[in-house]
């Protein structure tokens, strides 16, 4: 096997080792005059002069096992462009090029990270997390509903009969069974989103086997193994109900902390306490899946539980925001009395988005988070402040330095949820500002920006450090943040809701945006919709071919193709 490389520019130097680019501190400092060292990489160096306000095109051809064919460059490039420019069913022309390009690249990031294994070495395990796969499936609906359905069913096959799931499952079927409560709840959430989008309720009848029991040892937080399939199967409906009914709460209907969740998973052994975020997530899962529960007794039980969960969350109001968790030993996470982890972003955002709390408190909590967490100067929104330094060693987050990754760095998942919450509470201008802060293009506009960000301008990073090397991108090729951001722009900013062959639109555009053009391609329907944002009051109404209808919903029929379609506010 050999590798062939060609370039349209003159070769100046090359090497097979990255060390030829480094100094003694292993910093990348050299891109020319490379030493011809042996190794398992290929560095090909050339120089190009680009005049001011001009462009230069350089073609690199890399081929494995065959001669490079630079004459096929244009053909290959056009093929790739054609494939990925038509991935999404929605495309955008807003007049803000940074948002338009960002939105266009998000589907590519989802596909590359979720299916083509494009991610950093330290991200390989995280792409197999149960919840991340399901959240990615919720975005895939817009690109490939068949792939989304397959991914959901594959995740359902990771469930034990008790309702919890196998996490970080690899290609061999091995994974981690934990005491975390959150993973299982994303199954009914994803299934509900899929059915609402596609209208495919038959997915609930799919028969799926359970995994054999693999007990977590006493006083441990997880066990690793390769469980086999049992001879027993259940419908996807039954799998989702097991996820809901197996979630444990205390006498006051607060979700038990046990193995924790997400960034606050416990490191070694189960923790005793309650999770406020978990209680809100449980409320969200029940509320979304409730329409698909058919037995009257179960439906009544879940309806009653919704009321109790809402009251349980409200009981954790701390005066200006909601607490994150309360441990049995007295440790409060996300409380005004806390020296570390005083306020977190995700709990406040999810409380507002879920509808589990009053609108007044939701708005107050968001304003508290905005005031205490958003750093407009450095364009960073930490997931919580202050980061752990002394008291968080029992959590996975506490293993990182302050302000790095899950220990108080900016987390794109949390920020996207915060943006959605701002949109839901009517703060459209602020939501758009935060969205632009998260956009990697806006972190890469100058050479100074790039030296600080050190990450790709076309890929949404999961983390941005908030202290030390503040502003530095981390874990950039991830499906999860791209999936969530795509849905945020589509469903919240553009206000688009698909249900089968119908489209409802209630845009939430900033005041400075006068109009946006949106192209929608779904089945045999290919239409262009102009969003007229010139009028700020009234109800959104569609106009088709000059005729205004008293509705913000249209049926996506091929007969609409080529017609002049506008949605605007009418008093």
């Amino acid at each position: 096997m050999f590798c062939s490389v060609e370039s349209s520019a003159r070769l100046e130097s090359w090497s097979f080792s990255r060390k030829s680019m480094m100094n003694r501190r292993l910093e990348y400092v050299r891109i020319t005059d490379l030493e011809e060292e042996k190794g398992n990489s290929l560095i090909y160096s050339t120089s190009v002069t680009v005049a001011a306000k001009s462009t230069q095109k350089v073609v690199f051809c890399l081929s494995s096992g065959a001669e490079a064919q630079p004459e096929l460059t244009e053909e290959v490039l056009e093929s790739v462009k054609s494939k990925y420019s038509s991935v999404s069913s929605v495309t955008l022309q807003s007049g803000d090029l940074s948002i338009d390009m960002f939105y266009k690249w998000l589907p590519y990031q989802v596909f590359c990270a979720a299916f083509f294994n494009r991610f950093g070495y330290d991200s390989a395990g995280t792409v197999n997390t149960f919840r991340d796969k399901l959240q990615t499936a919720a975005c895939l609906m817009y690109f490939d509903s068949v792939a989304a359905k397959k991914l959901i069913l594959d995740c359902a096959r990771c469930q034990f009969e008790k309702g919890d799931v196998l996490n970080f499952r690899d290609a061999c079927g091995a994974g981690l069974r934990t005491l975390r409560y959150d993973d299982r709840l994303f199954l009914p959430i994803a299934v509900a989103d899929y059915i609402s989008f596609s209208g495919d309720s038959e997915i609930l009848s799919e028969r799926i086997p359970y995994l054999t029991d693999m007990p977590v040892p006493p006083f441990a937080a997880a066990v690793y193994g390769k469980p086999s399939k049992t001879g027993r199967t259940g419908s996807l409906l039954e799998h989702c109900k097991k996820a809901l009914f197996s979630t444990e709460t205390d006498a006051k209907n607060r979700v038990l902390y046990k193995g924790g969740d997400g960034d606050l998973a416990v490191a070694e052994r189960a923790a005793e306490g309650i999770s406020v975020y978990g209680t809100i997530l449980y409320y969200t899962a029940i509320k979304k899946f409730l329409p698909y529960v058919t037995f009257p007794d179960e439906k009544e039980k879940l309806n009653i539980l919704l009321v109790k969960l809402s009251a349980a969350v409200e009981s954790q109001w701390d005066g200006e925001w909601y607490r994150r968790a309360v441990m049995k030993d007295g440790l409060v996470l996300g409380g005004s009395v806390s020296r570390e982890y005083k306020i977190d972003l995700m709990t406040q955002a999810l409380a507002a988005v879920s509808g589990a709390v009053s609108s007044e408190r939701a708005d107050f909590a968001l304003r508290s988070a905005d005031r205490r967490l958003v750093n407009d100067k450095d364009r960073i929104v930490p997931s919580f402040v202050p980061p752990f330094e002394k008291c968080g060693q029992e959590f996975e987050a506490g293993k990182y330095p302050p302000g790095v990754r899950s220990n108080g760095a900016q987390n794109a998942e949390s920020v996207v949820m915060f943006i959605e919450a701002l949109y839901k509470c009517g703060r459209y201008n602020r939501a758009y500002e935060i969205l632009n802060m998260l956009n990697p293009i806006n972190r890469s506009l100058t050479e100074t920006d790039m030296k600080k960000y050190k990450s790709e301008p076309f890929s949404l990073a999961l983390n941005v450090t908030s202290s030390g090397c503040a502003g530095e991108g981390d874990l950039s090729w991830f499906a999860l943040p791209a999936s969530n951001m795509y849905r945020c722009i589509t469903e919240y900013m553009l206000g688009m809701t698909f249900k089968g062959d119908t489209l409802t639109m209630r845009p939430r555009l900033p005041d400075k945006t006068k109009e946006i053009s949106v192209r929608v391609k779904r089945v045999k329907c290919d239409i262009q919709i102009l969003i007229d944002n010139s009028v700020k009051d009234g109800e959104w109404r569609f106009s088709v071919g000059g005729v205004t209808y008293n509705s913000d919903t249209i049926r996506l029929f091929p007969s609409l193709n080529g017609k002049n379609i506008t949605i605007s506010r009418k008093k």
Side-chain angles (χ1 to χ4, degrees):
M1 182 68 69
F2 65 91
C3 176
S4 174
V5 180
E6 289 191 27
S7 171
S8 59
R10 185 175 64 86
L11 170 66
E12 293 194 354
S13 61
W14 56 275
S15 176
F16 289 112
S17 174
R18 293 178 186 233
K19 291 182 180 179
S20 62
M21 304 172 67
M22 299 177 180
N23 60 17
R24 293 181 179 179
R25 295 191 297 274
L26 300 182
E27 298 170 326
Y28 287 97
V29 296
R30 191 180 303 107
I31 58 174
T32 58
D33 300 324
L34 303 177
E35 296 181 8
E36 299 178 10
E37 298 184 21
K38 295 181 179 180
N40 56 4
S41 301
L42 175 61
I43 299 94
Y44 187 105
S45 174
T46 185
S47 295
V48 179
T49 302
V50 183
K53 298 182 180 180
S54 67
T55 61
Q56 281 276 13
K57 184 176 180 179
V58 181
V59 177
F60 292 93
C61 295
L62 175 65
S63 177
S64 177
E67 292 291 336
Q69 297 177 292
E71 67 274 10
L72 298 179
T73 298
E74 293 298 329
E75 181 182 337
V76 172
L77 182 59
E78 288 305 315
S79 175
V80 172
K81 282 183 178 180
S82 175
K83 177 179 179 180
Y84 288 104
S85 64
S86 60
V87 166
S88 174
S89 58
V90 181
T91 52
L92 177 64
Q93 287 182 314
S94 69
D96 184 340
L97 186 59
S98 66
I99 287 291
D100 295 350
M101 293 300 295
F102 182 39
Y103 187 67
K104 180 181 179 180
W105 290 335
L106 289 171
Y108 178 73
Q109 182 176 344
V110 173
F111 266 92
C112 286
F115 296 111
F116 304 147
N117 296 330
R118 183 170 185 178
F119 40 75
Y121 293 117
D122 53 354
S123 308
T126 55
V127 298
N128 290 318
T129 62
F130 188 83
R131 58 174 291 182
D132 285 14
K133 283 185 175 181
L134 287 170
Q135 288 180 279
T136 300
C139 176
L140 279 176
M141 301 181 301
Y142 288 91
F143 319 145
D144 188 339
S145 58
V146 175
K149 181 176 182 177
K150 182 179 182 298
L151 192 54
I152 290 172
L153 295 175
D154 285 345
C155 286
R157 295 186 182 96
C158 294
Q159 190 179 41
F160 296 96
E161 281 194 89
K162 290 184 178 180
D164 59 324
V165 298
L166 187 71
N167 212 342
F168 301 102
R169 185 183 64 168
D170 60 24
C172 299
L176 204 63
R177 186 179 191 180
T178 72
L179 298 177
R180 290 169 51 160
Y181 61 79
D182 63 328
D183 294 306
R184 71 190 76 180
L185 294 175
F186 283 93
L187 180 61
I189 290 173
V191 171
D193 286 342
Y194 170 81
I195 296 174
S196 177
F197 181 90
S198 67
D200 179 19
S201 59
E202 293 182 2
I203 191 176
L204 293 171
S205 302
E206 294 276 354
R207 304 295 299 184
I208 303 166
Y210 294 101
L211 296 178
T212 55
D213 195 28
M214 189 174 70
V216 177
F219 307 110
V223 61
Y224 179 81
K226 184 180 177 181
S228 59
K229 297 177 182 178
T230 67
R232 293 176 294 279
T233 64
S235 66
L236 183 60
L237 174 62
E238 292 168 346
H239 278 260
C240 290
K241 289 194 295 186
K242 277 185 179 290
L244 293 176
F245 288 119
S246 65
T247 302
E248 298 179 69
T249 60
D250 66 0
K252 296 181 179 179
N253 302 293
R254 302 171 300 185
V255 168
L256 297 181
Y257 199 87
K258 302 191 77 174
D261 60 77
D263 293 338
L264 281 183
V266 293
E268 297 175 359
R269 55 184 299 170
E272 293 188 63
I274 60 99
S275 171
V276 183
Y277 162 77
T279 307
I280 303 171
L281 183 65
Y282 193 18
Y283 178 97
T284 303
I286 293 174
K287 186 177 180 180
K288 284 203 170 205
F289 196 74
L290 194 56
Y292 309 107
V293 177
T294 53
F295 291 116
D297 289 348
E298 292 177 339
K299 208 173 188 72
E300 181 182 7
K301 181 179 179 180
L302 290 174
N303 269 311
I304 293 173
L305 185 54
L306 274 179
V307 177
K308 293 180 177 179
L309 290 172
S310 177
V313 176
E314 291 286 21
S315 71
Q316 295 303 309
W317 178 251
D318 200 63
E320 295 185 48
W321 59 83
Y322 290 95
R323 301 183 187 97
R324 176 68 161 76
V326 180
M327 299 302 164
K328 191 175 181 180
D329 61 5
L331 175 65
V332 177
L333 297 176
S336 57
V337 299
S338 308
R339 291 187 178 181
E340 299 173 2
Y341 206 111
K342 184 178 286 289
I343 178 173
D344 83 297
L345 192 63
M346 181 62 90
T347 304
Q348 320 314 318
L350 186 59
V353 171
S354 67
V357 301
S358 69
S359 57
E360 293 79 10
R361 280 188 172 176
D363 184 68
F364 202 116
L366 290 179
R367 292 183 185 278
S368 296
D370 195 347
R371 185 175 67 256
R372 291 175 173 268
L373 290 167
V374 180
N375 183 340
D376 288 284
K377 180 182 178 182
D378 295 327
R379 294 178 295 171
I380 298 174
V381 188
S383 55
F384 62 87
V385 293
F388 288 125
E389 291 191 40
K390 298 179 180 179
C391 70
Q393 296 305 307
E394 65 267 40
F395 305 107
E396 292 290 352
K399 305 298 182 182
Y400 291 103
V404 176
R405 294 201 176 175
S406 54
N407 190 11
Q410 175 176 289
N411 178 283
E413 182 184 3
S414 299
V415 181
V416 170
M417 181 68 73
F418 182 54
I419 294 169
E420 293 174 354
L422 291 171
Y423 275 124
K424 185 169 182 179
C425 289
R427 299 178 60 195
Y428 306 159
N429 292 330
R430 186 55 171 163
Y432 193 74
E433 289 174 3
I434 303 295
L435 194 157
N436 274 294
M437 287 170 60
L438 198 57
N439 187 341
I441 296 175
N442 296 327
R443 291 189 174 277
S444 315
L445 298 178
T446 66
E447 183 178 357
T448 302
D449 290 340
M450 282 302 302
K451 287 181 177 180
K452 184 176 183 180
Y453 186 49
K454 298 180 181 178
S455 193
E456 301 93 334
F458 45 80
S459 174
L460 178 58
L462 178 65
N463 295 128
V464 175
T465 56
S466 61
S467 62
C469 300
E472 187 173 310
D474 188 18
L475 300 177
S476 59
W477 279 97
F478 245 63
L480 176 61
S483 299
N484 291 353
M485 178 54 84
Y486 180 88
R487 291 190 66 188
C488 176
I489 295 174
T490 305
E491 298 172 11
Y492 285 85
M493 190 183 91
L494 300 179
M496 306 178 78
T497 302
F498 291 91
K499 288 190 176 183
D501 62 355
T502 66
L503 167 63
T504 299
M505 288 190 70
R506 295 167 189 167
R508 302 177 177 96
L509 303 181
D511 292 338
K512 68 177 184 180
T513 302
K514 301 306 179 184
E515 63 179 36
I516 283 182
S517 179
V518 180
R519 184 181 180 184
V520 179
K521 294 185 292 181
R522 191 161 165 81
V523 192
K524 295 182 179 180
C525 184
D526 187 347
I527 59 176
Q528 200 83 21
I529 302 172
L530 178 67
I531 303 176
D532 182 355
N533 194 45
S534 58
V535 178
K536 304 305 178 185
D537 299 316
E539 301 295 327
W540 289 99
R541 294 293 180 258
F542 271 109
S543 297
V544 180
V547 179
T548 300
Y549 296 88
N550 190 32
S551 177
D552 56 10
T553 301
I554 56 173
R555 298 288 293 274
L556 298 174
F557 291 141
S559 58
L560 292 176
N561 294 351
K563 292 191 175 180
N564 183 20
I565 304 174
T566 303
I567 186 165
S568 58
R569 286 190 180 95
K570 304 295 180 182
K571 294 184 179 180

